[in-house]
Amino acid sequence: MFTGLIQDLGRVERVIPGGMTDLWIHTSLGAAAFELGESIAVNGACLTVVERTQDSFRVQASPETLRRTTLGAVQPGDRVNLERALALGERLGGHLVSGHVDAVSEVLEAYPEGGSWVMGFRLPEALAPFFIEKGSVAIDGISLTVNTLEADRFRVQLIPETQARTTLKSRGVGAKVNLEADQIGKYVARLFALQRGQGAAGGGGLTAAAIAAAGFGSR
């Protein structure tokens, strides 16, 4: 489990294709202290540390991970967003992020507004039920707020700190990014869908009124 607060901009050192694709990544987080088997989010994808040196570590990406994320396109020299797994007792400054990427999206627009940087992204139809305005989304592992929402796209704003500490501002129009929808939205949508299915047979359970009363689905 992660928070979406990026801790370091790592640099891909080597990409070794095979049955599993190995990635060696340089980091300033002190890789020598990493535990073998611990989880680390690389551009929002939860991977496992399988080897480490003083300042680099190796993770492995399965064919499924390469299909479902942008990691299949990374090259030596690329910068990647890194976050170690959340430890119990730490502050949850972003939102709960699982590191399980839901879809690959693309940048549709990017422009300055005041000191912030506005970015618009394609919203895959399958993820649309999980998005609300002012809700949370993880983009390349970064916890962000959905500022505006349309049927097929959404926008976020990057404050100067986010611009400086992550890779996102460098993504131009057409660039691919990893999306993870808010977990709370997923659970609410799932429960509501099950309730609707039960309703046809006269079943009870979670109601739309209960969801609205809890504040979900409203702006």
Side-chain angles (χ1 to χ4, degrees), residues 163-174:
Q163 296 173 41
R165 292 178 63 88
T166 74
T167 62
L168 200 51
K169 188 184 177 183
S170 68
R171 305 295 194 208
V173 172

Side-chain angles (χ1 to χ4, degrees), residues 105-106 108 121-129 131 149-154 179:
S105 180
E106 65 181 308
L108 299 178
F121 299 88
R122 178 177 58 83
L123 177 59
E125 183 177 357
L127 294 188
F131 278 64
L149 179 64
E150 300 175 25
D152 61 352
R153 67 180 60 197
F154 68 95
L179 286 189

